[in-house]
Amino acid sequence: MGKINENTRSEVKEIVYKFFSEECEVDVSTISENTNIITDLEGDSLMFLELIEIFKKKYSLNIELKTIAKYIIRHPVETIGQLVDTQMLMIEHENNLVNL
Amino acid sequence: MNNRILITGLNMITSLGLDLESSWANIVAGKNGVKPISLIDTEGLQTRIAGQVPDSFEAYSAGFVKKRMADQTTRVTKMCYVCAREAVRKSLIEFDNFDRQRCAVVLGVVNTANNSAEKGTTSKNRILKGMNNAMSAWISLEYKLLGPNFTVTSACASSAYAIGIGYDMIRSGAFDIVITGGADSLINREDIEGFNELYALSVNNDPGKASAPFSADRDGFVIGEGAGIMILESEKSALRRNAKVYAELAGYSLTSEGYNIMAPMKDGEGICHTIMSALKNSAVKPEEVDYINAHGTSTMLNDLYETMAIKKVFGERAYRIPVSSTKSMIGHTVGAAGVIEGIVTVMSIADGVIPPTINLKKNDQELDLDYVPNVARRMDVNCAISNSFAFGGHNATLVFKKYM
């Protein structure tokens, strides 16, 4: 808790967009909230795990992978926008994510 | 049921070229693809030469393999994937026009070569790089195929086994297309030391002499590496899309020797049984065979026993059938050998030319067949066989015919 400020969402968004742009070799301008990670970017599930590690380090998050997995089962992430939203919730709620 | 199995796509990556056309042209020309190893530091190794795929593969593969995949795959997996991409492209297969549940991938793979030769190896992606089903999985993913994709492992006969299994899958009527083949590399310190310990590798480091199948001065095989893809398609499907047909896969035989983990059964009895079974399964008479692409490893026992087996199967006619070893030019590509040599056999039918056995300079009194020494031969080939034999007693013979 308390790790969110007015700049956090834009920071998260920038990291996510840059990550997918580099890993999928696409121009960042072609990525939007509605971009599908699998069908549009040919991404894979490992990318989500790699991003989790990036955000855990950057925001010193206390969150277990099983917590995230439980949340994702109930709230699947398919688009870049959903991914940014999920990362924001992780930062905001950490292990309490499971109770959402 | 008349369900003939046709070969409608081919490609190979070898030490003599990064595609079918260049590899085949150099094989017909009798070029030697064995050179000093540059992939790894060979300091202290007994064997320092191999049939290594050209260094230009790395730049070539970048045109096919995206960053994400590149990070998750080994060099050998990339070879197989690139090889398959080009085979599919040249076959003009449009999978959108197929029922993808009737399209499969079956590869012969010993391992993905996730070893010390792999540049920049870290623990990251270790599992994805090392899983033995990686090659078939990546090909299946590329084309979103929904039939099975899996890997067969039987050492040096692996990709020949894959081709045989692919044949049965189409023959059963359940599949229209099976992408078969495989890729392999033993160019790493662990494997070279391991095979040296078994006295299996040549310790002659002269590339012009080391891989010398059927020659009196042979002293073991030379390591090779590469990939091969053979697309098998039902006749009905191939005719429907007016596909180019290279040849027909008439049948095959897979056998076990039940004899020894490393040595072939004495006097070539197991090899003889395999060839005879393959001909019988293919409804081909021995007198119909025009060419034999031998396993021909350049080891003492294999070349002797394979020769003895050919004499037993073909009798007096054995002396008039051209027999050649592709390994003399590209070394032993192990898991990929069955498919690469199968492709060479198919091309001998398609182009009417029999590739030579190079480095055949000293006659061995016991080896007295026509090994097509050093120079290719123009000849109409209607039927040819390709042999693969492996540690563990895994034998395979594939039978190919001109499609008429």
Short mmCIF file of all heavy atoms in Angstrom, two decimals, chain B residues 51-103:
data_model
loop_
_atom_site.label_atom_id
_atom_site.label_comp_id
_atom_site.label_asym_id
_atom_site.label_seq_id
_atom_site.Cartn_x
_atom_site.Cartn_y
_atom_site.Cartn_z
N GLY B 51 32.02 -31.39 -39.55
CA GLY B 51 31.18 -30.82 -40.61
C GLY B 51 30.31 -29.76 -39.98
O GLY B 51 29.13 -30.01 -39.68
N GLN B 52 30.87 -28.61 -39.75
CA GLN B 52 30.18 -27.54 -39.02
C GLN B 52 29.39 -26.66 -39.99
O GLN B 52 29.89 -26.26 -41.04
CB GLN B 52 31.21 -26.70 -38.27
CG GLN B 52 30.62 -25.59 -37.43
CD GLN B 52 31.71 -24.73 -36.78
OE1 GLN B 52 32.65 -25.24 -36.18
NE2 GLN B 52 31.58 -23.43 -36.92
N VAL B 53 28.18 -26.35 -39.62
CA VAL B 53 27.34 -25.45 -40.43
C VAL B 53 28.03 -24.08 -40.49
O VAL B 53 28.56 -23.61 -39.49
CB VAL B 53 25.92 -25.35 -39.80
CG1 VAL B 53 25.13 -24.19 -40.38
CG2 VAL B 53 25.18 -26.67 -40.00
N PRO B 54 28.05 -23.45 -41.67
CA PRO B 54 28.76 -22.16 -41.81
C PRO B 54 28.35 -21.13 -40.77
O PRO B 54 27.18 -21.06 -40.37
CB PRO B 54 28.37 -21.70 -43.22
CG PRO B 54 28.02 -22.95 -43.96
CD PRO B 54 27.43 -23.88 -42.94
N ASP B 55 29.32 -20.31 -40.36
CA ASP B 55 29.05 -19.27 -39.36
C ASP B 55 27.97 -18.30 -39.84
O ASP B 55 27.32 -17.64 -39.02
CB ASP B 55 30.34 -18.47 -39.07
CG ASP B 55 31.37 -19.34 -38.36
OD1 ASP B 55 30.97 -20.35 -37.75
OD2 ASP B 55 32.57 -19.02 -38.45
N SER B 56 27.78 -18.21 -41.15
CA SER B 56 26.78 -17.29 -41.70
C SER B 56 25.36 -17.69 -41.31
O SER B 56 24.41 -16.92 -41.52
CB SER B 56 26.89 -17.21 -43.22
OG SER B 56 26.78 -18.51 -43.78
N PHE B 57 25.20 -18.88 -40.71
CA PHE B 57 23.85 -19.30 -40.28
C PHE B 57 23.25 -18.31 -39.30
O PHE B 57 22.04 -18.04 -39.34
CB PHE B 57 23.87 -20.71 -39.66
CG PHE B 57 22.54 -21.06 -39.05
CD1 PHE B 57 21.45 -21.38 -39.86
CD2 PHE B 57 22.34 -21.03 -37.67
CE1 PHE B 57 20.21 -21.64 -39.32
CE2 PHE B 57 21.10 -21.30 -37.12
CZ PHE B 57 20.04 -21.62 -37.94
N GLU B 58 24.10 -17.75 -38.43
CA GLU B 58 23.57 -16.86 -37.39
C GLU B 58 22.86 -15.66 -38.04
O GLU B 58 21.72 -15.33 -37.67
CB GLU B 58 24.70 -16.39 -36.48
CG GLU B 58 24.20 -15.76 -35.20
CD GLU B 58 25.31 -15.55 -34.19
OE1 GLU B 58 26.36 -16.22 -34.28
OE2 GLU B 58 25.11 -14.69 -33.32
N ALA B 59 23.50 -15.03 -39.02
CA ALA B 59 22.88 -13.89 -39.69
C ALA B 59 21.68 -14.33 -40.52
O ALA B 59 20.65 -13.66 -40.54
CB ALA B 59 23.91 -13.20 -40.57
N TYR B 60 21.81 -15.47 -41.15
CA TYR B 60 20.72 -16.00 -41.98
C TYR B 60 19.48 -16.27 -41.13
O TYR B 60 18.35 -15.91 -41.50
CB TYR B 60 21.21 -17.28 -42.65
CG TYR B 60 20.19 -18.05 -43.46
CD1 TYR B 60 19.62 -17.51 -44.61
CD2 TYR B 60 19.81 -19.34 -43.08
CE1 TYR B 60 18.70 -18.24 -45.36
CE2 TYR B 60 18.90 -20.08 -43.82
CZ TYR B 60 18.34 -19.52 -44.95
OH TYR B 60 17.44 -20.24 -45.68
N SER B 61 19.69 -16.87 -39.97
CA SER B 61 18.56 -17.25 -39.12
C SER B 61 17.83 -16.03 -38.57
O SER B 61 16.64 -16.09 -38.27
CB SER B 61 19.01 -18.16 -37.98
OG SER B 61 19.80 -17.43 -37.07
N ALA B 62 18.56 -14.92 -38.45
CA ALA B 62 17.93 -13.71 -37.91
C ALA B 62 16.78 -13.23 -38.79
O ALA B 62 15.89 -12.53 -38.33
CB ALA B 62 18.97 -12.61 -37.75
N GLY B 63 16.80 -13.62 -40.04
CA GLY B 63 15.71 -13.27 -40.94
C GLY B 63 14.44 -14.06 -40.69
O GLY B 63 13.38 -13.75 -41.22
N PHE B 64 14.54 -15.10 -39.86
CA PHE B 64 13.40 -15.97 -39.59
C PHE B 64 12.98 -15.95 -38.12
O PHE B 64 11.82 -16.14 -37.79
CB PHE B 64 13.74 -17.43 -39.92
CG PHE B 64 14.07 -17.68 -41.37
CD1 PHE B 64 15.34 -17.46 -41.86
CD2 PHE B 64 13.09 -18.13 -42.24
CE1 PHE B 64 15.64 -17.69 -43.19
CE2 PHE B 64 13.37 -18.36 -43.57
CZ PHE B 64 14.65 -18.14 -44.05
N VAL B 65 13.96 -15.80 -37.25
CA VAL B 65 13.72 -16.00 -35.81
C VAL B 65 13.65 -14.66 -35.10
O VAL B 65 14.62 -13.90 -35.09
CB VAL B 65 14.85 -16.86 -35.19
CG1 VAL B 65 14.59 -17.10 -33.72
CG2 VAL B 65 14.98 -18.18 -35.94
N LYS B 66 12.50 -14.37 -34.51
CA LYS B 66 12.34 -13.11 -33.78
C LYS B 66 13.09 -13.17 -32.46
O LYS B 66 13.40 -14.25 -31.95
CB LYS B 66 10.86 -12.84 -33.54
CG LYS B 66 10.11 -12.51 -34.83
CD LYS B 66 8.66 -12.18 -34.53
CE LYS B 66 7.95 -11.79 -35.81
NZ LYS B 66 6.51 -11.62 -35.60
N LYS B 67 13.32 -11.97 -31.89
CA LYS B 67 14.13 -11.86 -30.68
C LYS B 67 13.64 -12.78 -29.56
O LYS B 67 14.42 -13.48 -28.93
CB LYS B 67 14.10 -10.41 -30.19
CG LYS B 67 14.88 -10.20 -28.89
CD LYS B 67 14.68 -8.81 -28.33
CE LYS B 67 15.48 -8.63 -27.05
NZ LYS B 67 15.03 -9.52 -25.97
N ARG B 68 12.32 -12.75 -29.36
CA ARG B 68 11.75 -13.52 -28.25
C ARG B 68 12.07 -15.01 -28.41
O ARG B 68 12.49 -15.68 -27.48
CB ARG B 68 10.24 -13.30 -28.25
CG ARG B 68 9.52 -13.80 -27.04
CD ARG B 68 9.73 -12.90 -25.86
NE ARG B 68 9.28 -13.56 -24.65
CZ ARG B 68 9.64 -13.18 -23.44
NH1 ARG B 68 10.47 -12.19 -23.27
NH2 ARG B 68 9.19 -13.82 -22.38
N MET B 69 11.86 -15.50 -29.62
CA MET B 69 12.13 -16.91 -29.88
C MET B 69 13.64 -17.18 -29.81
O MET B 69 14.08 -18.22 -29.30
CB MET B 69 11.59 -17.30 -31.26
CG MET B 69 11.83 -18.74 -31.58
SD MET B 69 11.32 -19.16 -33.26
CE MET B 69 11.94 -20.83 -33.36
N ALA B 70 14.42 -16.25 -30.32
CA ALA B 70 15.88 -16.44 -30.31
C ALA B 70 16.40 -16.65 -28.88
O ALA B 70 17.28 -17.48 -28.65
CB ALA B 70 16.56 -15.24 -30.95
N ASP B 71 15.82 -15.90 -27.94
CA ASP B 71 16.25 -16.02 -26.55
C ASP B 71 15.85 -17.37 -25.93
O ASP B 71 16.42 -17.80 -24.94
CB ASP B 71 15.63 -14.90 -25.70
CG ASP B 71 16.20 -13.54 -26.04
OD1 ASP B 71 17.25 -13.49 -26.70
OD2 ASP B 71 15.57 -12.53 -25.65
N GLN B 72 14.83 -18.00 -26.49
CA GLN B 72 14.26 -19.22 -25.89
C GLN B 72 14.68 -20.50 -26.61
O GLN B 72 14.18 -21.57 -26.29
CB GLN B 72 12.73 -19.12 -25.88
CG GLN B 72 12.22 -17.98 -24.99
CD GLN B 72 10.72 -17.78 -25.10
OE1 GLN B 72 10.05 -18.40 -25.90
NE2 GLN B 72 10.18 -16.87 -24.30
N THR B 73 15.55 -20.37 -27.61
CA THR B 73 15.92 -21.55 -28.40
C THR B 73 17.43 -21.67 -28.57
O THR B 73 18.14 -20.67 -28.55
CB THR B 73 15.28 -21.48 -29.81
OG1 THR B 73 15.59 -20.20 -30.37
CG2 THR B 73 13.78 -21.67 -29.77
N THR B 74 17.88 -22.89 -28.75
CA THR B 74 19.30 -23.11 -29.01
C THR B 74 19.58 -22.93 -30.50
O THR B 74 18.66 -22.87 -31.33
CB THR B 74 19.72 -24.53 -28.63
OG1 THR B 74 18.99 -25.46 -29.47
CG2 THR B 74 19.44 -24.83 -27.17
N ARG B 75 20.85 -22.90 -30.82
CA ARG B 75 21.26 -22.78 -32.23
C ARG B 75 20.70 -23.93 -33.06
O ARG B 75 20.26 -23.74 -34.19
CB ARG B 75 22.80 -22.78 -32.25
CG ARG B 75 23.43 -22.72 -33.62
CD ARG B 75 24.93 -22.48 -33.44
NE ARG B 75 25.68 -22.81 -34.63
CZ ARG B 75 26.15 -24.01 -34.91
NH1 ARG B 75 25.94 -25.01 -34.06
NH2 ARG B 75 26.83 -24.24 -36.02
N VAL B 76 20.66 -25.13 -32.49
CA VAL B 76 20.18 -26.28 -33.24
C VAL B 76 18.66 -26.22 -33.43
O VAL B 76 18.15 -26.56 -34.49
CB VAL B 76 20.60 -27.60 -32.54
CG1 VAL B 76 19.97 -28.79 -33.22
CG2 VAL B 76 22.11 -27.72 -32.54
N THR B 77 17.95 -25.78 -32.42
CA THR B 77 16.51 -25.61 -32.57
C THR B 77 16.22 -24.57 -33.65
O THR B 77 15.30 -24.74 -34.47
CB THR B 77 15.86 -25.20 -31.23
OG1 THR B 77 16.09 -26.25 -30.29
CG2 THR B 77 14.36 -24.99 -31.37
N LYS B 78 17.01 -23.51 -33.67
CA LYS B 78 16.84 -22.50 -34.73
C LYS B 78 17.07 -23.13 -36.10
O LYS B 78 16.35 -22.84 -37.06
CB LYS B 78 17.80 -21.33 -34.52
CG LYS B 78 17.48 -20.45 -33.33
CD LYS B 78 18.49 -19.31 -33.21
CE LYS B 78 18.28 -18.51 -31.95
NZ LYS B 78 18.83 -19.10 -30.73
N MET B 79 18.08 -23.97 -36.20
CA MET B 79 18.37 -24.63 -37.49
C MET B 79 17.14 -25.41 -37.98
O MET B 79 16.76 -25.34 -39.13
CB MET B 79 19.52 -25.64 -37.33
CG MET B 79 20.89 -25.09 -37.56
SD MET B 79 22.06 -26.46 -37.49
CE MET B 79 23.43 -25.62 -36.74
N CYS B 80 16.56 -26.15 -37.07
CA CYS B 80 15.41 -26.97 -37.44
C CYS B 80 14.23 -26.09 -37.85
O CYS B 80 13.57 -26.35 -38.86
CB CYS B 80 15.03 -27.87 -36.26
SG CYS B 80 13.92 -29.19 -36.73
N TYR B 81 14.01 -25.05 -37.08
CA TYR B 81 12.88 -24.15 -37.35
C TYR B 81 13.04 -23.44 -38.69
O TYR B 81 12.13 -23.41 -39.51
CB TYR B 81 12.78 -23.14 -36.20
CG TYR B 81 11.81 -22.02 -36.41
CD1 TYR B 81 10.45 -22.20 -36.20
CD2 TYR B 81 12.26 -20.76 -36.82
CE1 TYR B 81 9.55 -21.16 -36.40
CE2 TYR B 81 11.37 -19.72 -37.02
CZ TYR B 81 10.02 -19.92 -36.81
OH TYR B 81 9.14 -18.89 -37.01
N VAL B 82 14.22 -22.90 -38.92
CA VAL B 82 14.49 -22.20 -40.19
C VAL B 82 14.36 -23.17 -41.37
O VAL B 82 13.78 -22.84 -42.41
CB VAL B 82 15.91 -21.57 -40.15
CG1 VAL B 82 16.31 -21.04 -41.53
CG2 VAL B 82 15.97 -20.45 -39.12
N CYS B 83 14.88 -24.35 -41.17
CA CYS B 83 14.82 -25.38 -42.20
C CYS B 83 13.36 -25.70 -42.55
O CYS B 83 12.99 -25.81 -43.73
CB CYS B 83 15.55 -26.63 -41.69
SG CYS B 83 15.89 -27.86 -42.94
N ALA B 84 12.54 -25.80 -41.53
CA ALA B 84 11.12 -26.11 -41.74
C ALA B 84 10.41 -24.95 -42.43
O ALA B 84 9.58 -25.15 -43.32
CB ALA B 84 10.46 -26.42 -40.41
N ARG B 85 10.72 -23.73 -42.01
CA ARG B 85 10.07 -22.56 -42.63
C ARG B 85 10.31 -22.55 -44.13
O ARG B 85 9.40 -22.29 -44.92
CB ARG B 85 10.63 -21.27 -41.99
CG ARG B 85 10.13 -20.98 -40.57
CD ARG B 85 8.80 -20.25 -40.56
NE ARG B 85 8.84 -19.02 -41.30
CZ ARG B 85 9.17 -17.83 -40.79
NH1 ARG B 85 9.47 -17.72 -39.51
NH2 ARG B 85 9.17 -16.74 -41.53
N GLU B 86 11.53 -22.80 -44.52
CA GLU B 86 11.86 -22.78 -45.95
C GLU B 86 11.26 -23.98 -46.68
O GLU B 86 10.84 -23.86 -47.83
CB GLU B 86 13.37 -22.73 -46.14
CG GLU B 86 13.96 -21.34 -45.96
CD GLU B 86 13.39 -20.34 -46.97
OE1 GLU B 86 12.34 -19.74 -46.67
OE2 GLU B 86 13.97 -20.19 -48.06
N ALA B 87 11.22 -25.12 -46.02
CA ALA B 87 10.61 -26.31 -46.65
C ALA B 87 9.13 -26.06 -46.92
O ALA B 87 8.62 -26.36 -47.99
CB ALA B 87 10.80 -27.53 -45.76
N VAL B 88 8.46 -25.48 -45.94
CA VAL B 88 7.02 -25.20 -46.09
C VAL B 88 6.81 -24.13 -47.17
O VAL B 88 5.94 -24.26 -48.03
CB VAL B 88 6.40 -24.75 -44.75
CG1 VAL B 88 4.99 -24.23 -44.94
CG2 VAL B 88 6.41 -25.91 -43.75
N ARG B 89 7.63 -23.10 -47.14
CA ARG B 89 7.47 -22.03 -48.14
C ARG B 89 7.63 -22.59 -49.56
O ARG B 89 6.81 -22.33 -50.44
CB ARG B 89 8.52 -20.93 -47.90
CG ARG B 89 8.38 -19.74 -48.85
CD ARG B 89 9.48 -18.70 -48.63
NE ARG B 89 10.81 -19.14 -48.99
CZ ARG B 89 11.28 -19.19 -50.24
NH1 ARG B 89 10.53 -18.82 -51.24
NH2 ARG B 89 12.51 -19.61 -50.49
N LYS B 90 8.66 -23.40 -49.76
CA LYS B 90 8.92 -23.92 -51.10
C LYS B 90 7.87 -24.96 -51.52
O LYS B 90 7.67 -25.19 -52.71
CB LYS B 90 10.32 -24.53 -51.17
CG LYS B 90 11.42 -23.49 -51.08
CD LYS B 90 12.77 -24.17 -51.00
CE LYS B 90 13.87 -23.20 -50.62
NZ LYS B 90 15.10 -23.89 -50.29
N SER B 91 7.24 -25.59 -50.54
CA SER B 91 6.23 -26.60 -50.88
C SER B 91 4.92 -25.95 -51.33
O SER B 91 4.04 -26.63 -51.85
CB SER B 91 5.94 -27.48 -49.66
OG SER B 91 5.17 -26.76 -48.71
N LEU B 92 4.80 -24.64 -51.10
CA LEU B 92 3.60 -23.86 -51.45
C LEU B 92 2.36 -24.33 -50.67
O LEU B 92 1.23 -24.09 -51.09
CB LEU B 92 3.33 -23.91 -52.96
CG LEU B 92 4.47 -23.42 -53.86
CD1 LEU B 92 4.08 -23.52 -55.33
CD2 LEU B 92 4.86 -21.98 -53.52
N ILE B 93 2.59 -24.99 -49.56
CA ILE B 93 1.47 -25.40 -48.71
C ILE B 93 0.89 -24.16 -48.01
O ILE B 93 1.64 -23.38 -47.42
CB ILE B 93 1.92 -26.43 -47.64
CG1 ILE B 93 2.25 -27.76 -48.32
CG2 ILE B 93 0.85 -26.62 -46.57
CD1 ILE B 93 2.94 -28.76 -47.41
N GLU B 94 -0.41 -24.00 -48.12
CA GLU B 94 -1.11 -22.93 -47.39
C GLU B 94 -1.96 -23.64 -46.35
O GLU B 94 -3.00 -24.22 -46.67
CB GLU B 94 -2.00 -22.12 -48.34
CG GLU B 94 -1.24 -21.36 -49.40
CD GLU B 94 -0.56 -20.10 -48.87
OE1 GLU B 94 -0.86 -19.73 -47.71
OE2 GLU B 94 0.26 -19.54 -49.60
N PHE B 95 -1.53 -23.58 -45.10
CA PHE B 95 -2.25 -24.34 -44.08
C PHE B 95 -3.68 -23.85 -43.87
O PHE B 95 -4.51 -24.59 -43.35
CB PHE B 95 -1.46 -24.36 -42.77
CG PHE B 95 -0.30 -25.32 -42.81
CD1 PHE B 95 1.01 -24.86 -42.88
CD2 PHE B 95 -0.50 -26.69 -42.83
CE1 PHE B 95 2.08 -25.73 -42.94
CE2 PHE B 95 0.55 -27.58 -42.89
CZ PHE B 95 1.85 -27.10 -42.95
N ASP B 96 -3.96 -22.63 -44.29
CA ASP B 96 -5.34 -22.14 -44.18
C ASP B 96 -6.29 -22.98 -45.05
O ASP B 96 -7.49 -23.00 -44.82
CB ASP B 96 -5.44 -20.67 -44.62
CG ASP B 96 -4.91 -19.74 -43.54
OD1 ASP B 96 -4.75 -20.20 -42.39
OD2 ASP B 96 -4.64 -18.57 -43.85
N ASN B 97 -5.72 -23.65 -46.04
CA ASN B 97 -6.55 -24.48 -46.91
C ASN B 97 -6.64 -25.93 -46.43
O ASN B 97 -7.15 -26.79 -47.13
CB ASN B 97 -5.99 -24.47 -48.34
CG ASN B 97 -6.02 -23.08 -48.93
OD1 ASN B 97 -6.89 -22.29 -48.59
ND2 ASN B 97 -5.08 -22.77 -49.81
N PHE B 98 -6.07 -26.19 -45.25
CA PHE B 98 -6.07 -27.54 -44.70
C PHE B 98 -6.86 -27.58 -43.39
O PHE B 98 -7.00 -26.56 -42.72
CB PHE B 98 -4.63 -28.01 -44.41
CG PHE B 98 -3.89 -28.44 -45.63
CD1 PHE B 98 -3.30 -27.53 -46.48
CD2 PHE B 98 -3.78 -29.79 -45.94
CE1 PHE B 98 -2.63 -27.93 -47.62
CE2 PHE B 98 -3.11 -30.21 -47.07
CZ PHE B 98 -2.53 -29.27 -47.91
N ASP B 99 -7.32 -28.76 -43.07
CA ASP B 99 -7.84 -29.01 -41.72
C ASP B 99 -6.62 -29.18 -40.82
O ASP B 99 -5.91 -30.19 -40.91
CB ASP B 99 -8.72 -30.28 -41.74
CG ASP B 99 -9.22 -30.65 -40.35
OD1 ASP B 99 -8.78 -30.02 -39.36
OD2 ASP B 99 -10.04 -31.58 -40.26
N ARG B 100 -6.36 -28.21 -39.97
CA ARG B 100 -5.12 -28.23 -39.19
C ARG B 100 -5.06 -29.41 -38.21
O ARG B 100 -3.99 -29.77 -37.74
CB ARG B 100 -4.96 -26.90 -38.45
CG ARG B 100 -4.46 -25.77 -39.35
CD ARG B 100 -4.31 -24.49 -38.55
NE ARG B 100 -3.39 -23.55 -39.16
CZ ARG B 100 -3.74 -22.68 -40.11
NH1 ARG B 100 -4.98 -22.65 -40.56
NH2 ARG B 100 -2.84 -21.84 -40.61
N GLN B 101 -6.20 -29.99 -37.90
CA GLN B 101 -6.18 -31.17 -37.03
C GLN B 101 -5.59 -32.38 -37.76
O GLN B 101 -5.24 -33.38 -37.14
CB GLN B 101 -7.58 -31.49 -36.54
CG GLN B 101 -8.13 -30.42 -35.61
CD GLN B 101 -9.46 -30.81 -35.00
OE1 GLN B 101 -9.67 -31.94 -34.61
NE2 GLN B 101 -10.35 -29.86 -34.93
N ARG B 102 -5.50 -32.28 -39.08
CA ARG B 102 -4.95 -33.39 -39.88
C ARG B 102 -3.52 -33.09 -40.32
O ARG B 102 -3.02 -33.69 -41.26
CB ARG B 102 -5.86 -33.63 -41.09
CG ARG B 102 -7.24 -34.19 -40.70
CD ARG B 102 -8.15 -34.33 -41.90
NE ARG B 102 -7.61 -35.23 -42.89
CZ ARG B 102 -7.72 -36.55 -42.87
NH1 ARG B 102 -8.36 -37.14 -41.87
NH2 ARG B 102 -7.19 -37.28 -43.82
N CYS B 103 -2.88 -32.14 -39.63
CA CYS B 103 -1.49 -31.79 -39.94
C CYS B 103 -0.65 -31.96 -38.67
O CYS B 103 -1.01 -31.44 -37.62
CB CYS B 103 -1.39 -30.35 -40.42
SG CYS B 103 -2.38 -30.03 -41.91
#
